[in-house]
Amino acid sequence: MEHRSSIDINTEWDIVAARQLGRNEAKSTGFGTVDQARITTAISELARTIYLYAGKGRIEIQSITVGQRVGLVIIASDEGPGIADLQKVMTDGYTTSGGLGAGMPGVKRLMDDFRIETEVGVGTTITATKWLH
């Protein structure tokens, strides 16, 4: 059975709401507290990136089952400026916001599968999956 939840990201409070939604979905899917924290952190980073760089977007959280595998798929999408230099954005320590630069490389490390689709002037969609082990 698949279940999907989503939240629009328009304000900083939506980042908090997305984190909470993610934690609830991770818990109900059966993830332990460590993986719940990983998923929540990844969602927080993705939502924050939408808010800072695109202004608005959406976080979708979908529980999935593929054969015997159960997991959560996080889809972060926006119609913002897109990412001009994807290689630079995926470099540890790179930041344009004065943050720690953990951003997208950090999300990639926290999750099991990670994919970015981006087009300058059109927007970005990031799909990240965490599998229950």
Side-chain angles (χ1 to χ4, degrees):
M1 180 177 143
E2 294 186 359
H3 171 76
R4 182 180 290 219
S5 300
S6 66
I7 186 159
D8 290 331
I9 305 299
N10 297 305
T11 71
E12 287 186 85
W13 290 108
D14 296 330
I15 299 168
V16 175
R19 284 178 57 89
Q20 189 59 50
L21 179 64
R23 183 174 301 281
N24 292 343
E25 292 292 334
K27 188 174 184 178
S28 69
T29 302
F31 285 97
T33 55
V34 172
D35 278 336
Q36 287 175 37
R38 288 181 177 128
I39 291 164
T40 302
T41 301
I43 290 170
S44 181
E45 189 61 43
L46 292 168
R48 183 179 160 278
T49 299
I50 288 171
Y51 177 72
L52 286 177
Y53 299 105
K56 62 182 180 175
R58 173 177 287 250
I59 297 283
E60 295 179 56
I61 303 164
Q62 179 179 357
S63 61
I64 58 166
T65 302
V66 178
Q68 300 296 318
R69 297 176 86 187
V70 174
L72 274 185
V73 177
I74 312 304
I75 302 167
S77 58
D78 65 63
E79 295 177 2
I83 302 170
D85 190 342
L86 193 53
Q87 186 174 355
K88 190 180 281 186
V89 167
M90 292 306 296
T91 302
D92 275 317
Y94 175 75
T95 180
T96 58
S97 65
L100 297 175
M104 293 307 105
V107 172
K108 185 176 181 179
R109 279 191 299 274
L110 289 167
M111 303 297 279
D112 296 319
D113 300 316
F114 179 86
R115 186 177 77 244
I116 297 179
E117 298 169 38
T118 188
E119 187 175 340
V120 174
V122 176
T124 301
T125 300
I126 299 171
T127 306
T129 305
K130 188 71 172 171
W131 295 105
L132 195 57
H133 298 286

